[in-house]
Amino acid sequence: MSALADVPVLTESPAQSGVLRRAWPHLRPHRGSIAVAVTLSLLATLSMTLLPPVVGWAIDQVEEGDGTGLYLAAAMFAALVTGRMVLLRTAELWLARAGERVVRTLRETAVARLASAPLRFLEAQRSGDLLRRTTSEIADLASFVRSDLPDLLAVAGYLVFTTTVLLFYSWQLTLVLVLVFLPPAVLAMRWFQRGARTAFAEEAAERATVAATYREGVEAQELLASRGAETEWARRFDRDNEKLHRAAFRSEIVVLRSSGVTLAQGVADAAILVLGGLLVIGGGMPVSTVAVFVLAMRQLFESANQLTALIGQLQTSRVGLARLLDLLDTTARVDTGSAGGGQAEIGERGTLHADALHYSYVDGVWVLRDVSCDFPAGSRSALVGPTGSGKTTLAKLLAGLYEPDGGQVRFAGVPLADIPPGELRKRIMLIPQRVHVVTGTVRENLRLVPSSPDDERLSWALGELGLLPWIEGLADGLDTEVSATGDTLSAGERQLIGLVRAALVDPAVLILDEATADVDPVTAERIETALDRLRADRSLIVIAHRQSTIDRLPHAVRLHEGRTARSEPEPSRP
């Protein structure tokens, strides 16, 4: 039997080898735009690379006293500069369009995978890490595509085209350049690469840790304040932040290694100037050839310098892409609940049956053991038991949010694992103890259901549940603003939001987790009245502690130490 420890966990520092190959399935749909962008970029680079030969031609025309040839060379120079500008801007537009489409595809894929991932998988990850991989690192990748990738393509083109020009004009000087410049430059870059993979990966992992620690601390602010543990959390955050500082410093030290390329350039410049000058003095080489060689060599070195500046950002983007691909690969491996294919006939209403359920969060420690219970269509049941008895875990298993480690849950005779997620959510709905709300109006929060209901449908649902007086009592009715934390609504009012959403979806089974816990009496009465007015053919399962709520329900499933026994609810004491 599996446990939480068997759920795949994201790798903090995933392998960076073959990231482009692994990313190709996401690039393939945009290969046409990418090819056009790359072609235009290389043509722009080629036009710039041809400028030194044009200058050399102009020098030859001056030495020969050919004014017409000089004017023609000047016109060609102007045409190349203008053409390069047009090609470069067009290439940047195509590249930005293609890059943004790729990034959008990656972002949408990541969000879709997380949205369909099993709850158990999501709970096994640090929320701050998930947040960073799907927001900050994708944003960094988008920034790289817009700003740095065009420069990187240009640099690559310059290196290839300029080397070709140098070989054409003087293979002897090119050989000297290669011997003097290439060995120390390669050694410097290899030295950089040896430290870059580890340093940048460690920095990315530490950034994710800081984000996770910060998020967890903010979410637990009330708990920290009530326990007087703010100082301890601040120490933990400072400790993680210091690790990030050290990791970032190590990355900067590694980047400095690439400055060895600049030193190699200085040595090569001196060697070529001396040798070229000697060849001209000796009469074996035209001045134009030396001029072309020096200008082209400067382009080559400028490209190398630009590559040195880009290499750090390239490595950062490579790490971010590797971490994003790790998220996509991991979520592709886990069971995303797409089983079943919808082949079995699934009734609109039916019995929800749990058979011999076992579940554990840690190997060897069972939260639920051999739990069996039935909830016939239209039944009203309370799920009761002491704190820690497994009520919420059972509710998530019944809703299909968890998969049991043993046993099976069936709806209308069909295993939940065989019901497509969309169909399952239409038939079984869980309203958690703290209903999630988003920044916006009450109307926008009520519409967070698949059908996107209009105002008429909202009014119908509110009327059916007897909640129109509550809406009318809000400051601006349906237009009342709600914050993401829900501070403008009480816990009970958030439960009312959840009940209205349930009425709009009209599930066959509605499960409520502590709907009336920590709720004022007036709101509790509204919740209980709304529950009484739900359609009679809907199964209702309520996790409850309030005796008044339990008394309203004719049946109860009692949990004790992870086991169940079905019984009638005890009458409330006078």
Side-chain angles (χ1 to χ4, degrees), residues 156-457:
Y158 282 136
L159 292 174
V160 173
F161 296 145
T162 303
T163 301
T164 303
V165 169
L166 294 176
L167 284 170
F168 177 80
Y169 273 85
S170 175
W171 67 266
Q172 298 95 334
L173 291 179
T174 303
L175 180 60
V176 172
L177 175 63
V178 169
L179 293 176
V180 174
F181 170 72
L182 199 57
V186 169
L187 288 175
M189 294 310 298
R190 290 188 64 181
W191 188 30
F192 168 82
Q193 286 290 343
R194 277 200 300 270
R197 291 190 179 185
T198 302
F200 282 94
E202 287 179 356
E203 182 181 355
E206 294 300 339
R207 288 188 185 280
T209 298
V210 168
T213 301
Y214 178 79
R215 180 181 177 87
E216 290 165 1
V218 171
E219 291 177 345
Q221 185 176 12
E222 182 178 347
L223 176 64
L224 293 171
S226 64
R227 302 286 177 84
E230 302 100 318
T231 303
E232 176 58 32
W233 176 79
R235 280 198 294 265
R236 179 185 175 189
F237 182 81
D238 289 343
R239 183 173 62 251
D240 291 342
N241 201 30
E242 177 61 27
K243 290 181 180 178
L244 172 58
H245 173 74
R246 290 197 296 267
F249 183 73
R250 284 193 294 271
S251 296
E252 290 300 320
I253 293 297
V254 169
V255 170
L256 288 176
R257 296 179 182 179
S258 59
S259 60
V261 176
T262 304
L263 179 61
Q265 290 174 10
V267 175
D269 277 336
I272 294 300
L273 285 173
V274 170
L275 181 59
L278 291 175
L279 290 175
V280 170
I281 293 172
M285 180 176 290
V287 174
S288 61
T289 298
V290 177
V292 170
F293 202 95
V294 170
L295 289 174
M297 188 175 66
R298 293 318 306 161
Q299 281 188 345
L300 182 68
F301 287 165
E302 286 174 6
S303 299
N305 288 335
Q306 197 171 7
L307 180 62
T308 300
L310 287 171
I311 203 73
Q313 184 59 43
L314 175 63
Q315 187 62 39
T316 300
S317 299
R318 184 178 181 179
V319 170
L321 181 58
R323 287 168 58 81
L324 178 60
L325 292 175
D326 177 56
L327 170 65
L328 297 179
D329 292 343
T330 304
T331 50
R333 290 197 303 271
V334 301
D335 182 5
T336 58
S338 58
Q343 298 300 319
E345 286 291 332
I346 308 168
E348 291 296 327
R349 298 287 190 264
T351 297
L352 183 65
H353 173 68
D355 181 29
L357 298 182
H358 288 75
Y359 192 85
S360 67
Y361 292 102
V362 180
D363 285 328
V365 181
W366 295 108
V367 177
L368 297 176
R369 293 174 294 174
D370 197 27
V371 172
S372 297
C373 48
D374 288 308
F375 303 93
S379 63
R380 298 289 194 270
S381 303
L383 190 56
V384 298
T387 301
S389 58
K391 301 185 297 299
T392 296
T393 301
L394 177 58
K396 291 179 179 179
L397 288 168
L398 294 173
L401 298 177
Y402 285 167
E403 288 193 8
D405 294 328
Q408 191 177 67
V409 180
R410 296 191 297 275
F411 172 77
V414 181
L416 297 192
D418 293 338
I419 302 178
E423 293 298 318
L424 181 59
R425 296 283 73 81
K426 291 179 183 177
R427 286 165 174 76
I428 306 175
M429 184 174 182
L430 170 65
I431 300 180
Q433 184 173 356
R434 183 177 178 84
V435 173
H436 182 71
V437 296
V438 298
T439 299
T441 64
V442 171
R443 176 187 287 104
E444 290 168 337
N445 274 275
L446 293 178
R447 284 178 172 168
L448 290 178
V449 293
S451 58
S452 299
D454 55 21
D455 283 358
E456 183 178 349
R457 178 71 174 171

Side-chain angles (χ1 to χ4, degrees), residues 548-570:
S548 60
T549 303
I550 298 173
D551 290 343
R552 288 173 178 264
L553 304 170
H555 304 287
V557 173
R558 299 187 177 280
L559 283 176
H560 181 68
E561 295 182 351
R563 298 182 183 275
T564 60
R566 192 176 183 84
S567 65
E568 300 300 319
E570 296 178 1

